[in-house]
Amino acid sequence: MGRAEGKVVVVTGGARGQGRAAAEHLAREGAHVWIADVLDTDTTWSGPGSLTHHRLDVTSESAWRSLRDALQAEHGRLDGLVNNAGVAARDRLPDVGLTQWRRVLDINVTGPLLGMQTLFPLMRPGGSIVNIVSVAGMSGHAAAPYTTSKWALRGLTRSASLEYGELGIRVNAVFPGLIDTPLMADASPAFRNVAIGETPLGRIGVPEDVAPLIVYLISDESSYVNGAEITVDGGLTAHVSHKSIADATRPAPKRH
C-alpha cells in the first residue's frame, strides 16, 4: 500500500474497463485519481486515495484546458498522466472510410498528444506519463486504422520520452494484448477462439492484469524507466500469429 501516496494522476477513458481498473489500483495505492472520460462513472470511494470524475473529450483542446485549470485550482500540480482512452476499428484496408480513419487517429493519437502538451506545465521532475498502446503497434494487423494509430502512438511515446526526459518526466508505453474490456465486446467468437489459441498462456487477459504495471510506472519505483515498451499479452507477440487470426475470422479483402 502507498506506492502512489499523494500523487495526483489523470486517467483518460477511466470510466470503465482497463482505465477503471487502473484508476482503482492507483487509488488503492494512495493516489488522487481524476477519471477523465466522456462517460459518467461512479466515484464513490472508501479506500485510500480518491476518485474524481471530469468530463473530457480527448480530441478537444478546450476540454483539455478545462481539465488543466481544474487540476491547477484543486492541486496546483500533476504527477501522472495515463493516456488510456481509445477506440477500436476493425475494417480491413479496402473498406476503410475517411470518417472512421480520422476518428480513430483523433482519439488514439491526437488525444494523447493534446494531453501531454496541455498538462505538461503542471508536471514536475519525477512525473510520469503512461501511454496505453497495443500489441497492434508491434506488428502488422488487418485492422488498418487501429493498427496505424497504435504505431503512431508508439512513435509519439518515444519522441516524448526524449523531450520530457530531459526535464525529469518519464514517458513509457504499455502494450496490452487481448484484454477483456468493452473494446472487445463486438469481437466475434471466432476471433476470440483463434486469439486464445495463439496466446501461449491460453486465455484472454483481464484489466487487472494490466493495472499493476501502470501503478509501477506511475510510482517512484520506476524512476529510471523511460522510453520503455512493455507488453502484457500472455506471450502473444513472442511469435508471429496475427495473419492466422485475421484469415480465420474475416473474409478476404475484395477488389472494388
Side-chain angles (χ1 to χ4, degrees):
M1 302 296 290
R3 297 166 66 203
E5 187 70 36
K7 289 185 180 292
V8 179
V9 183
V10 167
V11 179
T12 69
R16 60 181 186 172
Q18 189 169 275
R20 180 69 189 206
E24 292 186 358
H25 273 66
L26 285 162
R28 289 191 196 107
E29 295 293 342
H32 301 293
V33 182
W34 285 54
I35 295 173
D37 204 314
V38 292
L39 301 176
D40 292 329
T41 189
D42 182 10
T43 55
T44 303
W45 188 251
S46 58
S50 63
L51 297 177
T52 300
H53 177 262
H54 185 94
R55 185 170 293 278
L56 175 75
D57 173 358
V58 296
T59 69
S60 167
E61 293 181 75
S62 62
W64 277 110
R65 289 194 295 267
S66 174
L67 175 58
R68 179 195 62 202
D69 293 345
L71 290 164
Q72 176 67 54
E74 183 72 19
H75 303 284
R77 73 180 202 281
L78 179 67
D79 302 298
L81 168 62
V82 181
N83 282 311
N84 169 80
V87 292
R90 298 189 174 91
D91 286 352
R92 300 184 82 154
L93 190 58
D95 303 316
V96 176
L98 279 181
T99 298
Q100 181 195 51
W101 176 265
R102 289 167 178 153
R103 176 175 180 266
V104 172
L105 292 179
D106 280 350
I107 294 173
N108 293 1
V109 186
T110 305
L113 170 69
L114 292 174
M116 290 190 289
Q117 287 180 328
T118 308
L119 301 186
F120 163 71
L122 296 179
M123 301 190 79
R124 308 173 300 183
S128 174
I129 297 171
V130 181
N131 289 333
I132 307 302
V133 190
S134 165
V135 293
M138 305 197 88
S139 62
H141 287 227
Y146 185 75
T147 301
T148 301
S149 73
K150 293 305 182 178
W151 274 91
L153 182 55
R154 181 182 185 182
L156 178 62
T157 303
R158 288 199 170 194
S159 294
S161 72
L162 301 179
E163 295 279 2
Y164 292 161
E166 295 178 351
L167 302 171
I169 297 169
R170 298 173 292 110
V171 187
N172 294 290
V174 174
F175 291 70
L178 298 153
I179 307 296
D180 193 12
T181 70
L183 286 185
M184 284 283 290
D186 62 349
S188 69
F191 177 90
R192 286 175 173 264
N193 292 337
V194 175
I196 290 172
E198 295 285 356
T199 301
L201 287 186
R203 67 174 176 88
I204 290 180
V206 294
E208 288 72 19
D209 290 321
V210 183
L213 175 59
I214 295 172
V215 171
Y216 166 71
L217 291 173
I218 291 293
S219 78
D220 295 337
E221 297 170 10
S222 58
S223 63
Y224 200 56
V225 180
N226 184 43
E229 300 179 337
I230 308 174
T231 59
V232 187
D233 68 353
L236 181 62
T237 53
H239 66 107
V240 179
S241 63
H242 300 298
K243 187 175 187 302
S244 62
I245 293 176
D247 289 347
T249 58
R250 314 158 190 255
K254 298 177 182 178
R255 295 184 183 276
H256 293 290

